[in-house]
Amino acid sequence: MFGWGYKKSYAYPAGFGMKPIGVTFYSIEPLISSAPESGLVSVTVYRSGDVSEASSIQVGTFMSSKYNAAAIGEDFENETKTIQFAANEFLATVNFTFIDDSFPEQDEVLDVKFVNDHKINIGTPQEVELTILGDSRLITGGGSSPETGPNVVVQEGDNQVKVCITLSGLADSSYPEPIEFLFTPTEKSGALNPAQEEDYDNTTTAAIMPSGDTEVCAHISTVEDRIFNEPNEQFCINVTSNVSVGIFHPAECQITVTIIDKIGTRGSIDINRRLKGVPKSSSTTEGNKFCFSFFEPHISTLFLIKVGSLESFPVQYHISSGVNGIYKTGTVQPGSINTEWYRYIPGNSESRLEDFQPLIANMTIDFFNSRDINDFTGIEIKTINSSHTISVTCFSMSIDNSIDTTVDSFVAVPALNVGSITQQYNYSIFNEYGNYYTDSQTVAAIVACDTIEAGGVSLTYSNTSVPGDYFGTYDQHGVRSSQIKFKKYYTPSVSSLPPGTDVYAIQPIGFMIGHACVSGYTPYCEYLIEQVPPSYTWGYNFLVGPFTIRYFRYRSILKLFPGKEIGTNFKIFCADSVSVTVNILVQNFTKKDHMVPNKGVFDIYPQSYCTVQSNKPLAVMQYFESHDWYRYYDTYHYRTAAPDMVWIPPVSQYLNRYLVPNDIRYYDKFITSGVFVTVLPHCFDASAILIDSIPLESNASKWSIFHCDNITDSCGYGISVNIQQGRTHLLKHTDPSCSFGAIMFCSGDGKGYAYPAGFGMRPIGVTFYSIEPLISSAPESSLVSATVYRSGDVSEASSIQVGTFMSSKSNPAMIGEDLENQTKTIKFAANEFSATVDFSFFIDSIPELDEVFLVGFLKDQNINIGTPPEVELTILGDSNIIKFTADNYCVHEGNGSVYVCVEKSRDTVDSVNLEITAMEGSTQFAAEDIFDFVAETKTLTLPGSSTQVCAQFQIIQDPFNDFKEPIETFYVNFIATGHLGGGQMKATDKSIVTIFELQPEIFADSVPSTNNVFTPESQENVTICVKRTFNFSCTRNITFEAINSAIGITAISGTDFVAETIEVPFTSDDLRVCATFMIINDDIVEKNESFIITVTAPDHIPTMLTIKITITDEDDVSVIKFSNDAYTFPENIDMDVQVCVETTKVLSDDININFRTISSDVDGAATADLDYISKFETKTLKKGLRAVCYNIEIKPDVTREPTEFFHVEFEVLNLVKLMDNNYYGLSRLNVSNSEPAVVYIMDTSVTGCESVYADLVLLISESSRMQENQFTMVKDLAAEILNQLPIGRNMTHAGIVRLSNSNRTQVISPLGDVTDLKLLKQIVRNISIDDEDNRGLATHLNYSMILAMDEIKKRGRLNSRKIIVIITDGLHLHEALPYDIAKITRALSYDIFAVLFFTNSSLSNWEELTGYKERVLFLNTFNSGQSKRANLFINQICKSISVGPQLLNTIGEKKIKNVGETVSFNCTADGVPVPNIVWRKDGSI
C-alpha cells in the first residue's frame, strides 16, 4: 500500500505470513494406513521450511493408548527407522511390518512418531495411527446413521426408535450373503435405574442385512405411563444371529436405550443412585446393640423401653446399666414388642426393686453438679446372639395425676461401625426466644457404649462456651478432647455447649439432645428428648408434612443444620392444596446460620406440604409449638411452650416395613394417635402400604401431594391416619423394593409427642465407592469392563484408582503372564455417579482353562469402600468347561447306589451329550463287577442352559454280614460331545467311587471316659475336639451343636452360653476335628452350670456323641450385707423407714432373707410399738438384682425428745445349701450379718439443723491424759456434730484443727476443703494418738484458736454464721489462758462452744471463754445416739446459729404505673440461711 503528496509519502505491506520457513520442520502422514498381519504399512515423512542442507531424523513404533492397542513384541516389533534427507529433499517413505501369528484377532492399532522429538521442530501432523487388520469381524452397536449408536436416548412414549449394529474389524467387513439379526429389548440389570417391562415393548424384531452391507437397523418402542417425575431409566437391546458372523462386542447389551420422562426431570427425587453400593447392613434402625439414656425430668416419671423384633424366631436380649436395678435378660417373640418399665421419683437417690418395678436414680443431667452425682446412667440393650436384631423405642411418661402429659419419646439408634467412617454427631436444637422461656434449657449428653480412653471424644464449636470439666482446652485446630476415661455407661452432659456443636468419637456413642426443665415442670417448659444418628446418615431430600400432635392450635417450625461447613445449597418449597406458601433458595448455608430465620429456621403454614432438596447432607427437625389455653394444676394458662420435636428421616433412609408400639398415654381424655406416611411417586400405590395387613388408606384421592418446584409437579405423597391404641402395629409396603417414611404421633389436651417409626442408617452423608462387572468375561483377544459407582455425597469432584489383583482361587490368571498389572485412575466430576474402565489380556499360544483375576480399589486412598468392593473377571479358556463334581465319591455298601454328577462352568449354545461309564479298576482294592457294583454306561443329555446332570450306579451289598471288607474302589469316566466353545467338540474326565463297610469309632478327645469338660467362665469360650480310630478316605461333615441340658444345674442359652450349630469337614487326612463355642462371661456370681454339645458324625460309630460342658464361675466373692451400717430417719416421716440388704455382686438365684427388729433397754433406745412397730418379715432378693429392702413403720408423737435408736438384723435362709461347694461355696459367697444395723429416729422439732448455712471449725484435743478409748469418744462426738449439720458445698462448711503441743497443733482439714460428710467424718476418725508417745499435758489452745480464726477469715463465706467448737479435757495452768483471744473472736460475731471430757473444770472459766454457760457441756462418756445431753447440746448449737427469716423494710408508699412501665421496690430481708424475697402479683411478699 502507498500514498504521496506535496510533502512526505508513505508505503507499507498490506500483510504477510508468519510461517516458520526459515527453520526446518518435520511432519508425518500415512501412506498405507492399514494391512493384514501378512502385509506391511507405510508412512511418509515430510521436511519443510529450510531444506537447503542435508539432515537425519528417526521415527519409530509406539504402543497406542486405545483399548484395541497392538502389543509390542506380540503384534509388531519395537522398530526405529533412520531417514537421511539430502539437500533440498522434501519427503521420504518408511515401511513397517507385523508379527504374523495364528490367533484370530480384531483390528489392532499402533502409533508411529518421531524419536527424540525434543531436538527437532515438529510440524502437523506429528504422529500417525496404523491398523493391523483383524481376521474376524467385530459386531458392535452403532453405525453412521443419525441418532444411532451404542447409547440411544429417547423420550417416554417414542414408538419408532432406530437402533443399529455394524460389522467392522476386517478390510472388507461385509458378509457375502444376507444375514438375519434379532433385536431383543431386555432389562439392563446393572443400570442405576433399570426400566421395567411396562416401560418398553419387549417384542423381538428381525432385520435382514443384505450381502455387502456392514450395518443393519431395527425400530423399537417405549411406553408412556402416568408416573410423573421418574428418573432416567435404561434397558438393553441384545442382538443375536443364527450365523457365526463374528464377535459380538459386548457379548450382550450391544445397545443401551435411556428413557427420559416425558414430563422431564423437574421436581423429581432420585434416591437410587445415592444408595448404590452403600453397605446393606446399615439399612435399618434394627440392630444388635443400643446405648442411650434419659434426661432427668423434675416430675415423677415412668421410663418405658419398647423392644421389638421382626425376626422369624424368638430373640433374646439383655438390658444393663450403671443404674442399679436395670439388669435383665428378656425374650421377644417374632412380630412382637416387649415393654420394660422403670420408675423415677425426683430427689430420691436410692435405686431398688419395688415388687415389679425398679426405682431409678438421677438420670443424666444435673445442670450444676453433674460430676457429683450418678453420671453412669447409660443404658445398654444388646441381643444375646449378635446375628439377631431388634428395634428399640423409648418413652418417658408422667405419673403425676395433676399433670396430664406424656413427656416425650425417641427411637434408639443402633451402635454400628461402618467401615472407616468417622463417628461424627452434630446437633442444633431450637429453643424459643424471650426472657420468660429461660426455664427451658437446651441440653445434650454423650453415652459411652463401651469404655473410651481419654482423648477418644472431641468437640468443636463456634464460640467459647465451656462444657464442664470433661474436656480439655482448645488445641491449635480449635478442638477440645476428653481429658478423662469415659467408662461404660458414663453419660457426661454437655448442656452448656451451644447448639451447632460437632462431636467426634473414635467408636460409636449414644448422643442425646433436647430440652430439660431447669427448675421443675412449669407451663413454660416441656421436656424433649431425641437420640441423634451419626452425621454420615444425613440426607439430601426430605418430605415434611402437617400432622397434628396437639389437640389445639399449633405453630409448625422447620429447623435445618448442614453436615458440611461450606458449599451447602438447598431449596425449601411448601404448598397447600391451592397455593405456594414457602419457596426459598438458600445458598452457602453454614453452621453459623443454623438459627437465622429463613436460613436455618422456617415458619411453616400448618397445612403445608414441604420438600427440602439439598446438594449436600442436611439434618431436618420439625417442631410444633402450642398457642392455646393449657390446664396446669386445675387452672388454665395461655402458653407458648418450648416446641415439641421430631427427627425427620431423609427419603434415602426410608424403610420397607416398621414394627411400632402405640400404647403410651395414661390420663388424657382427648387423644388422637396416628401415623403420618410419606412415599415417593415410583412407589406410590394407595393400596400398597398396609397396616396390620390392611391398606392404610386405599382411596388415592385422600392422599396429599408434595411439590418440588411448582404447584403442578409431583414428587411425593403423604397422608395422616388415626390408628388404634393399645397394640403393636406392623406397617409394610407390599413391594419389597419400595420404601416409605412413617412418623408416629399422639396429641391431646396436654403435651403430645412424635417420633419416627424408624429410619435407615445408610452412610449417605459421606462418599462411598463400589465396583460391579460390566463385561465380566471375554477371550484373550477381547476386553472386559467394570463400572465404578460413587454413591452418598457426590457433590464434589474426586479421583480414585482401581487396579488388577491376583485371585486366590484355584484358577488364577497370572499377573505378567496372562495380563499386565494395570492401574486405572478415575476422575469423577461433581454430581457424577459412575464411570467405566476396561482391561485387556495377553494373547499366548498355550491352551488354558478359564482363569480369573480381581479388579479392586488400590490401598491407602483414604476412601470409603461399599459393596461389592471388588469384582472377579474371567479370561475365557480354550479347553474343557465340563468335568465331574468331585474327585472321589464315597458310599457305604449298604446304601444300594451312588450318584455321580457332571457340571459345566458356563452355558453352551447347544445341549451336550454325555456317556458316563462305571468300570473296574486295577488297584489292590479294586471293587469287582457283579460282586460289588454293576459296571455299565449311562447316556445323558446336559441342556445348554443347565449346569449339572447326575447318573445313578448300583452298589451290591455283601451277603456275609460278619465279614467286613476293606475299602474298595471303581472308576467312572465320561465322554462329552457337542459345541463346548472355542471350537472344542469333545471332552473327557475321570473320577473314583469308594465303597466302604468298616466305620471308624469316634470319641471326645479330652476325656474319652466321662465325656465331661470343665471350662472357666472367664475363658469366654470352650473348644471341643473329637478323634476317630482310623483315617477315612471320604470327607464327611461333622455337626457340633450346643444345647441346653436337662440334667443337674442347667446353664441357660443366651445367658450363660451361645446356642449354635457349627459344621466342620472331616477330611480323609484328618484324625481330629474341633469346634469352638462362646461362653458368656458376666459379672454374676453363679453356681457351676452345665450344657450339652452333641456331635453328629455320619458314617462313624456312634453317629452321635454327647459331651457335657460344665461352666465353672470364678467371679470374686459376693458379700450379702446391710447397705448401710446405720440409718437415720426423721420422726415425722410420711413413709416407712426402709432398711436394705445388698450383695456386692449379682447372684444367679433368688435368696430368701428374714428381717426382724430388735429393741433395747439401754439409754436412748427407742421403744417398740411406741416409737416404731416391731416387725418380722421374709423378703426375697431376686436373682439378677443387687438389693432388697424391709419397711418399718415409724410412730410420730408430740414429745420433744433426742434421737432414739433401734436395731435390725437379717438372716439368710438355706445358708447351708448355699455354702455347699456344689452350689456357691465359701469362696464365692459370704454373709456379713454378725452386727445388726442401727436405725436412728430423729426428732426434727429438737435438732433444727437442716437449713444451717455456717462455717464451722472443730478444735479436737489429743491430751496425753486421755486413753485411747476415751479419745475415740472425743472423735465420735466430733463426728456426731458433723452428722447433725447439713455438710455440703452450698450449706455448712467444716474445718478440723488438732489441739496438741507446739509440734503437733495444726490444721488437719482446711475449712470448706472437703464437702462430703462421709469423707469428713473419716478424716476425724483417722486422727491417731499412736504415733506420738510424748504428747504432753500442755495443749496450745491460744495457738489453735488463732489457727481457727485464720481459717474463718481466709476461707469463710459472706453471710454465713461462724462457729468454733472446742472438744478437750480441760485448761492447763502452765499455759496462758485464752480469754483475750476468745473475746476478740466473739467480737467478730464468731460463736464459741466447748465440750469438756473427763474433767472437773470450773464452769465459770469456760463461761468466760464461750460467753454463755449454755454453750458449755461436761461429759464423762459418749455413745452416738444414746447421749441425750450431747444431743441437746448439739441442738443448742443449731438453735443459736439459726435465725428465722425476717423482713427488714417493707415496700413503702403505694406506686401507680401504666402498662409497659417498670416498677422497683427496695426490699431487704435477713436470716440464716439468707432468705429469697418473692413479690407476688397480689402485692404480698
Side-chain angles (χ1 to χ4, degrees):
M1 306 297 293
F2 60 88
W4 65 89
Y6 293 104
K7 293 187 178 181
K8 185 179 183 295
S9 301
Y10 67 88
Y12 63 92
F16 47 83
M18 292 292 291
K19 304 180 182 72
I21 57 177
V23 293
T24 305
F25 266 82
Y26 298 91
S27 60
I28 188 170
E29 291 185 1
L31 180 60
I32 303 173
S33 62
S34 62
E37 286 180 343
S38 58
L40 57 82
V41 287
S42 302
V43 298
T44 301
V45 178
Y46 293 95
R47 191 169 67 141
S48 57
D50 182 9
V51 296
S52 59
E53 297 179 2
S55 65
S56 173
I57 57 100
Q58 288 182 318
V59 296
T61 53
F62 295 87
M63 193 167 174
S64 171
S65 60
K66 290 187 176 181
Y67 76 92
N68 60 332
I72 295 176
E74 295 182 8
D75 299 304
F76 65 96
E77 300 291 351
N78 187 0
E79 295 182 88
T80 300
K81 301 292 181 80
T82 300
I83 303 171
Q84 303 285 345
F85 285 98
N88 299 313
E89 189 175 8
F90 285 86
L91 60 89
T93 299
V94 186
N95 297 326
F96 296 94
T97 59
F98 312 128
I99 299 174
D100 190 1
D101 56 36
S102 59
F103 299 111
E105 297 171 292
Q106 302 171 32
D107 290 357
E108 298 172 314
V109 295
L110 67 147
D111 294 333
V112 174
K113 49 189 171 182
F114 294 98
V115 179
N116 296 324
D117 54 1
H118 62 284
K119 298 181 179 179
I120 58 176
N121 299 311
I122 306 299
T124 304
Q126 56 187 348
E127 64 180 55
V128 295
E129 180 180 274
L130 304 178
T131 302
I132 308 173
L133 294 177
D135 37 19
S136 63
R137 296 175 187 83
L138 189 66
I139 309 170
T140 58
S144 58
S145 301
E147 300 180 349
T148 65
N151 295 291
V152 178
V153 180
V154 300
Q155 195 173 65
E156 182 183 271
D158 287 355
N159 59 9
Q160 283 297 307
V161 180
K162 187 177 182 181
V163 292
C164 304
I165 58 101
T166 60
L167 306 184
S168 62
L170 298 178
D172 180 9
S173 294
S174 64
Y175 202 72
E177 298 176 4
I179 311 169
E180 182 183 64
F181 288 92
L182 300 179
F183 292 76
T184 304
T186 185
E187 180 182 354
K188 186 176 177 67
S189 58
L192 290 172
N193 297 294
Q196 305 301 311
E197 288 190 355
E198 57 265 26
D199 295 316
Y200 55 88
D201 183 354
N202 63 356
T203 302
T204 297
T205 302
I208 303 295
M209 177 184 287
S211 61
D213 283 2
T214 59
E215 180 182 81
V216 64
C217 299
H219 292 86
I220 54 97
S221 300
T222 62
V223 179
E224 181 178 356
D225 56 32
R226 300 302 300 166
I227 301 176
F228 301 126
N229 304 305
E230 293 180 286
N232 293 348
E233 299 172 309
Q234 293 181 323
F235 67 96
C236 286
I237 305 294
N238 282 347
V239 184
T240 59
S241 175
N242 59 352
V243 177
S244 180
V245 184
I247 299 172
F248 284 94
H249 182 76
E252 296 179 341
C253 197
Q254 292 85 10
I255 304 168
T256 296
V257 181
T258 301
I259 307 175
I260 297 177
D261 192 5
K262 198 161 190 176
I263 305 300
T265 58
R266 291 185 61 205
S268 65
I269 294 176
D270 178 14
I271 66 172
N272 292 324
R273 293 182 302 171
R274 294 197 183 276
L275 301 181
K276 187 75 174 177
V278 168
K280 293 180 175 58
S281 61
S282 55
S283 61
T284 176
T285 34
E286 297 170 29
N288 57 20
K289 181 178 179 180
F290 301 80
C291 61
F292 53 88
S293 188
F294 293 91
F295 295 150
E296 179 186 16
H298 288 267
I299 51 179
S300 298
T301 302
L302 282 179
F303 295 115
L304 286 76
I305 301 175
K306 301 276 187 174
V307 181
S309 172
L310 282 170
E311 301 277 20
S312 59
F313 44 80
V315 174
Q316 286 188 306
Y317 60 88
H318 185 69
I319 303 178
S320 59
S321 174
V323 177
N324 190 14
I326 305 183
Y327 190 92
K328 180 181 180 181
T329 298
T331 301
V332 58
Q333 298 300 318
S336 300
I337 294 179
N338 287 4
T339 301
E340 307 293 347
W341 298 73
Y342 299 98
R343 185 170 63 174
Y344 167 77
I345 297 178
N348 194 325
S349 60
E350 295 291 333
S351 303
R352 53 189 177 265
L353 189 67
E354 288 277 349
D355 297 329
F356 70 97
Q357 295 175 351
L359 191 62
I360 298 179
N362 296 322
M363 296 301 295
T364 303
I365 302 298
D366 179 301
F367 294 102
F368 307 105
N369 308 304
S370 62
R371 291 293 294 278
D372 296 335
I373 64 170
N374 180 16
D375 273 347
F376 293 89
T377 57
I379 299 173
E380 179 191 75
I381 301 180
K382 63 180 180 180
T383 57
I384 300 299
N385 187 326
S386 61
S387 65
H388 299 169
T389 60
I390 55 175
S391 61
V392 177
T393 309
C394 302
F395 299 85
S396 50
M397 178 175 62
S398 165
I399 53 176
D400 188 336
N401 289 325
S402 63
I403 303 172
D404 293 345
T405 180
T406 291
V407 184
D408 211 10
S409 59
F410 63 89
V411 172
V413 176
L416 298 173
N417 270 314
V418 183
S420 58
I421 301 176
T422 302
Q423 295 287 335
Q424 177 183 353
Y425 304 78
N426 311 75
Y427 76 108
S428 174
I429 310 306
F430 183 80
N431 208 348
E432 186 54 276
Y433 311 102
N435 294 331
Y436 55 93
Y437 294 109
T438 56
D439 192 58
S440 173
Q441 179 166 346
T442 298
V443 292
I446 294 168
V447 185
C449 304
D450 295 291
T451 298
I452 307 175
E453 297 299 327
V457 181
S458 57
L459 309 175
T460 63
Y461 43 87
S462 57
N463 67 24
T464 57
S465 297
V466 178
D469 50 0
Y470 307 108
F471 296 91
T473 58
Y474 290 105
D475 62 15
Q476 67 272 24
H477 303 295
V479 175
R480 299 185 65 175
S481 298
S482 52
Q483 59 181 0
I484 61 173
K485 178 189 289 186
F486 289 179
K487 296 182 179 180
K488 185 172 183 176
Y489 308 127
Y490 194 44
T491 314
S493 66
V494 285
S495 55
S496 59
L497 286 181
T501 295
D502 296 337
V503 179
Y504 297 89
I506 61 174
Q507 61 198 56
I509 60 174
F511 193 63
M512 317 302 299
I513 65 170
H515 294 162
C517 307
V518 179
S519 58
Y521 184 84
T522 75
Y524 305 107
C525 175
E526 289 180 342
Y527 173 97
L528 307 176
I529 188 168
E530 195 81 34
Q531 184 168 16
V532 177
S535 305
Y536 62 70
T537 66
W538 294 6
Y540 308 83
N541 302 283
F542 302 82
L543 303 180
V544 186
F547 55 90
T548 303
I549 72 161
R550 289 185 182 277
Y551 183 72
F552 300 112
R553 296 182 298 117
Y554 63 91
R555 166 193 175 202
S556 182
I557 304 162
L558 282 191
K559 180 78 185 60
L560 279 70
F561 194 72
K564 306 290 184 180
E565 186 57 48
I566 58 173
T568 299
N569 306 321
F570 70 88
K571 180 181 181 179
I572 178 169
F573 186 90
C574 303
D576 56 21
S577 57
V578 295
S579 62
V580 176
T581 57
V582 177
N583 186 2
I584 297 175
L585 176 65
V586 177
Q587 293 184 307
N588 198 25
F589 180 44
T590 68
K591 295 178 181 179
K592 294 180 181 178
D593 300 327
H594 70 96
M595 290 300 292
V596 178
N598 291 330
K599 266 199 165 183
V601 180
F602 297 85
D603 274 325
I604 304 301
Y605 183 70
Q607 293 306 312
S608 290
Y609 288 77
C610 300
T611 57
V612 179
Q613 302 175 82
S614 176
N615 69 321
K616 293 192 177 184
L618 283 178
V620 175
M621 300 191 75
Q622 190 172 12
Y623 295 81
F624 299 92
E625 182 181 27
S626 71
H627 290 266
D628 295 284
W629 293 98
Y630 183 82
R631 182 162 65 85
Y632 178 59
Y633 287 94
D634 297 326
T635 60
Y636 283 87
H637 305 264
Y638 189 76
R639 64 180 291 187
T640 304
D644 295 310
M645 171 177 63
V646 59
W647 182 268
I648 302 296
V651 298
S652 297
Q653 302 291 15
Y654 284 0
L655 305 179
N656 175 259
R657 60 181 185 170
Y658 303 89
L659 186 68
V660 293
N662 191 34
D663 56 351
I664 308 307
R665 302 298 291 267
Y666 261 9
Y667 306 114
D668 284 1
K669 298 177 181 178
F670 307 102
I671 297 175
T672 300
S673 180
V675 59
F676 183 78
V677 169
T678 52
V679 61
L680 294 178
H682 70 279
C683 283
F684 176 62
D685 179 343
S687 300
I689 298 177
L690 309 180
I691 180 169
D692 305 326
S693 302
I694 300 172
L696 185 70
E697 177 52 71
S698 58
N699 187 344
S701 64
K702 293 185 178 181
W703 290 72
S704 299
I705 300 175
F706 289 89
H707 305 288
C708 281
D709 297 298
N710 57 66
I711 200 70
T712 61
D713 68 22
S714 171
C715 56
Y717 297 87
I719 193 169
S720 181
V721 178
N722 293 343
I723 59 177
Q724 181 183 352
Q725 285 204 90
R727 58 175 294 183
T728 296
H729 298 286
L730 177 64
L731 296 166
K732 182 180 179 181
H733 200 295
T734 56
D735 185 347
S737 65
C738 279
S739 58
F740 62 98
I743 301 292
M744 308 301 297
F745 64 87
C746 185
S747 61
D749 59 354
K751 177 183 180 296
Y753 65 85
Y755 63 94
F759 45 80
M761 294 288 291
R762 305 174 182 100
I764 57 175
V766 294
T767 307
F768 262 84
Y769 296 91
S770 59
I771 187 168
E772 292 185 2
L774 181 60
I775 303 173
S776 60
S777 62
E780 288 180 341
S781 58
S782 190
L783 296 173
V784 287
S785 301
T787 301
V788 177
Y789 293 99
R790 192 168 67 137
S791 56
D793 182 10
V794 297
S795 59
E796 299 177 1
S798 66
S799 175
I800 58 102
Q801 288 186 314
V802 296
T804 53
F805 299 91
M806 191 168 171
S807 170
S808 60
K809 288 189 175 180
S810 59
N811 59 331
M814 306 302 293
I815 304 292
E817 295 181 10
D818 299 302
L819 74 156
E820 288 183 312
N821 188 1
Q822 301 168 66
T823 298
K824 307 283 179 142
T825 299
I826 303 171
K827 295 184 178 180
F828 288 95
N831 299 312
E832 188 176 7
F833 284 86
S834 64
T836 301
V837 285
D838 297 325
F839 297 92
S840 59
F841 318 127
F842 292 141
I843 301 176
D844 55 36
S845 58
I846 303 171
E848 297 170 294
L849 296 167
D850 290 356
E851 296 173 315
V852 295
F853 65 99
L854 302 177
V855 172
F857 298 94
L858 270 60
K859 294 182 178 180
D860 304 323
Q861 294 190 83
N862 194 27
I863 58 175
N864 299 310
I865 308 299
T867 305
E870 62 184 12
V871 294
E872 180 182 274
L873 303 177
T874 303
I875 307 173
L876 295 176
D878 43 14
S879 60
N880 286 349
I881 64 167
I882 188 167
K883 59 183 179 180
F884 278 114
T885 56
D887 296 329
N888 189 351
Y889 295 92
C890 289
V891 60
H892 189 269
E893 185 179 87
N895 285 5
S897 65
V898 63
Y899 284 91
V900 296
C901 300
V902 176
E903 63 181 0
K904 285 189 304 183
S905 60
R906 64 173 182 266
D907 290 350
T908 54
V909 176
D910 301 314
S911 297
V912 175
N913 297 317
L914 283 169
E915 290 184 355
I916 306 177
T917 301
M919 65 184 71
E920 290 185 1
S922 57
T923 63
Q924 178 183 357
F925 301 105
E928 294 182 75
D929 183 20
I930 305 299
F931 296 101
D932 299 304
F933 74 104
V934 176
E936 58 182 325
T937 298
K938 305 275 188 174
T939 301
L940 303 171
T941 299
L942 181 55
S945 58
S946 298
T947 59
Q948 188 179 96
V949 68
C950 300
Q952 183 181 18
F953 292 96
Q954 183 179 354
I955 303 298
I956 298 174
Q957 186 170 8
D958 191 335
F960 305 104
N961 293 328
D962 57 343
F963 177 69
K964 300 297 183 183
E965 296 179 296
I967 289 175
E968 299 172 311
T969 62
F970 64 92
Y971 290 120
V972 288
N973 61 26
F974 71 76
I975 299 174
T977 57
H979 289 281
L980 302 176
Q984 184 180 359
M985 299 297 293
K986 184 177 179 180
T988 63
D989 195 15
K990 182 170 64 174
S991 185
I992 297 174
V993 176
T994 300
I995 306 172
F996 63 89
E997 189 174 1
L998 291 174
Q999 294 178 318
E1001 244 185 284
I1002 191 171
F1003 53 87
D1005 184 24
S1006 53
V1007 279
S1009 59
T1010 62
N1011 285 356
N1012 196 354
V1013 176
F1014 289 83
T1015 182
E1017 183 182 84
S1018 59
Q1019 187 172 297
E1020 298 187 345
N1021 63 61
V1022 59
T1023 298
I1024 296 301
C1025 299
V1026 293
K1027 292 182 71 174
R1028 60 184 175 186
T1029 51
F1030 59 84
N1031 277 350
F1032 190 38
S1033 62
C1034 301
T1035 297
R1036 287 290 182 264
N1037 285 336
I1038 306 299
T1039 303
F1040 295 79
E1041 184 177 9
I1043 58 175
N1044 291 337
S1045 171
I1047 303 173
I1049 302 174
T1050 304
I1052 305 300
S1053 62
T1055 301
D1056 302 305
F1057 71 99
V1058 176
E1060 58 181 323
T1061 300
I1062 300 174
E1063 199 169 81
V1064 182
F1066 219 149
T1067 69
S1068 58
D1069 297 328
D1070 293 330
L1071 282 174
R1072 181 176 184 265
V1073 291
C1074 303
T1076 300
F1077 294 85
M1078 184 184 300
I1079 303 296
I1080 298 175
N1081 185 16
D1082 54 35
D1083 203 27
I1084 302 174
V1085 177
E1086 300 170 290
K1087 310 173 293 295
N1088 290 347
E1089 299 167 319
S1090 299
F1091 67 96
I1092 296 296
I1093 293 178
T1094 62
V1095 183
T1096 304
D1099 297 324
H1100 289 73
I1101 301 174
T1103 56
M1104 178 177 286
L1105 194 67
T1106 300
I1107 302 172
K1108 180 182 178 182
I1109 309 299
T1110 301
I1111 305 172
T1112 58
D1113 190 11
E1114 297 177 327
D1115 285 312
D1116 295 337
V1117 63
S1118 177
V1119 180
I1120 303 177
K1121 63 183 182 65
F1122 280 113
S1123 298
N1124 295 293
D1125 296 332
Y1127 297 84
T1128 302
F1129 293 93
E1131 186 180 77
N1132 62 346
I1133 191 170
D1134 59 357
M1135 62 177 71
D1136 290 348
V1137 166
Q1138 199 168 61
V1139 176
C1140 300
V1141 166
E1142 66 179 14
T1143 62
T1144 54
K1145 285 201 170 187
V1146 174
L1147 299 173
S1148 62
D1149 287 272
D1150 292 347
I1151 304 295
N1152 293 321
I1153 299 175
N1154 284 342
F1155 288 87
R1156 65 171 58 87
T1157 56
I1158 305 173
S1159 60
S1160 175
D1161 57 359
V1162 300
D1163 187 22
T1167 303
D1169 300 325
L1170 293 179
D1171 297 310
Y1172 67 96
I1173 300 300
S1174 179
K1175 185 178 181 183
F1176 174 88
E1177 186 177 1
T1178 301
K1179 302 282 284 186
T1180 300
L1181 175 59
K1182 299 284 187 180
K1183 64 180 180 180
L1185 297 176
R1186 294 274 294 276
V1188 62
C1189 298
Y1190 164 65
N1191 292 354
I1192 309 159
E1193 183 182 350
I1194 299 297
K1195 302 285 287 184
D1197 55 40
V1198 296
T1199 305
R1200 296 167 60 86
E1201 53 193 349
T1203 299
E1204 300 171 307
F1205 72 93
F1206 64 93
H1207 291 92
V1208 175
E1209 66 179 11
F1210 76 88
E1211 175 190 13
V1212 177
L1213 302 182
N1214 297 323
L1215 189 58
V1216 174
K1217 175 182 176 182
L1218 295 175
M1219 291 301 183
D1220 188 278
N1221 283 327
N1222 291 325
Y1223 219 80
Y1224 286 108
L1226 293 172
S1227 62
R1228 288 185 294 121
L1229 183 65
N1230 189 1
V1231 178
S1232 177
N1233 62 349
S1234 59
E1235 294 294 330
V1238 59
V1239 179
Y1240 295 105
I1241 306 173
M1242 184 175 61
D1243 190 336
T1244 54
S1245 63
V1246 175
T1247 57
C1249 287
E1250 284 81 2
S1251 60
V1252 172
Y1253 181 71
D1255 292 321
L1256 165 71
V1257 179
L1258 289 174
L1259 307 186
I1260 301 175
S1261 172
E1262 60 163 24
S1263 170
S1264 61
R1265 292 189 301 194
M1266 285 188 288
Q1267 301 300 316
E1268 186 170 348
N1269 64 326
Q1270 294 175 319
F1271 187 55
T1272 299
M1273 293 182 193
V1274 169
K1275 293 189 291 184
D1276 286 346
L1277 176 63
E1280 186 62 25
I1281 293 172
L1282 294 173
N1283 218 28
Q1284 297 292 339
L1285 292 166
I1287 302 297
R1289 187 160 65 176
N1290 296 317
M1291 298 297 288
T1292 295
H1293 285 187
I1296 311 296
V1297 174
R1298 181 168 61 195
L1299 178 56
S1300 186
N1301 58 28
S1302 57
N1303 294 327
R1304 292 172 59 83
T1305 297
Q1306 65 184 60
V1307 177
I1308 298 298
S1309 179
L1311 176 63
D1313 191 53
V1314 177
T1315 56
D1316 180 86
L1317 174 61
K1318 185 176 180 181
L1319 181 58
L1320 200 60
K1321 288 161 60 177
Q1322 190 61 44
I1323 292 173
V1324 170
R1325 292 193 175 99
N1326 286 343
I1327 300 175
S1328 173
I1329 59 175
D1330 295 335
D1331 57 346
E1332 184 65 39
D1333 295 333
N1334 188 21
R1335 301 192 308 276
L1337 295 176
T1339 54
H1340 286 60
L1341 187 55
N1342 263 312
Y1343 178 46
S1344 61
M1345 288 281 287
I1346 292 171
L1347 289 179
M1349 286 178 59
D1350 287 345
E1351 280 296 295
I1352 294 174
K1353 286 180 180 178
K1354 289 186 299 183
R1355 304 173 70 92
R1357 296 165 295 171
L1358 187 65
N1359 297 326
S1360 68
R1361 299 300 292 230
K1362 313 300 190 288
I1363 315 165
I1364 298 175
V1365 177
I1366 306 167
I1367 306 175
T1368 184
D1369 63 344
L1371 293 171
H1372 300 279
L1373 298 179
H1374 58 273
E1375 179 193 23
L1377 296 178
Y1379 302 134
D1380 292 337
I1381 192 68
K1383 289 179 181 179
I1384 296 172
T1385 303
R1386 294 200 308 273
L1388 294 173
S1389 298
Y1390 296 1
D1391 295 293
I1392 304 176
F1393 296 83
V1395 181
L1396 284 304
F1397 264 103
F1398 326 119
T1399 183
N1400 295 318
S1401 298
S1402 169
L1403 176 62
S1404 60
N1405 291 338
W1406 288 96
E1407 180 183 355
E1408 183 178 357
L1409 190 144
T1410 62
Y1412 304 93
K1413 64 182 179 181
E1414 293 84 5
R1415 299 191 175 188
V1416 182
L1417 175 66
F1418 289 88
L1419 287 177
N1420 287 318
T1421 185
F1422 175 75
N1423 189 351
S1424 178
Q1426 299 182 20
S1427 175
K1428 293 184 178 180
R1429 292 179 61 224
N1431 289 334
L1432 289 172
F1433 179 74
I1434 294 170
N1435 181 55
Q1436 182 63 30
I1437 295 176
C1438 295
K1439 280 187 175 181
S1440 299
I1441 61 177
S1442 298
V1443 178
Q1446 53 183 325
L1447 193 65
L1448 299 183
N1449 61 301
T1450 59
I1451 292 175
E1453 78 280 2
K1454 181 178 181 181
K1455 296 185 179 182
I1456 300 175
K1457 293 287 184 178
N1458 295 321
V1459 175
E1461 296 180 337
T1462 59
V1463 59
S1464 61
F1465 297 100
N1466 180 23
C1467 298
T1468 56
D1470 194 13
V1472 178
V1474 177
N1476 294 321
I1477 301 175
V1478 178
W1479 173 45
R1480 297 181 175 85
K1481 289 186 177 181
D1482 62 3
S1484 62
I1485 295 179

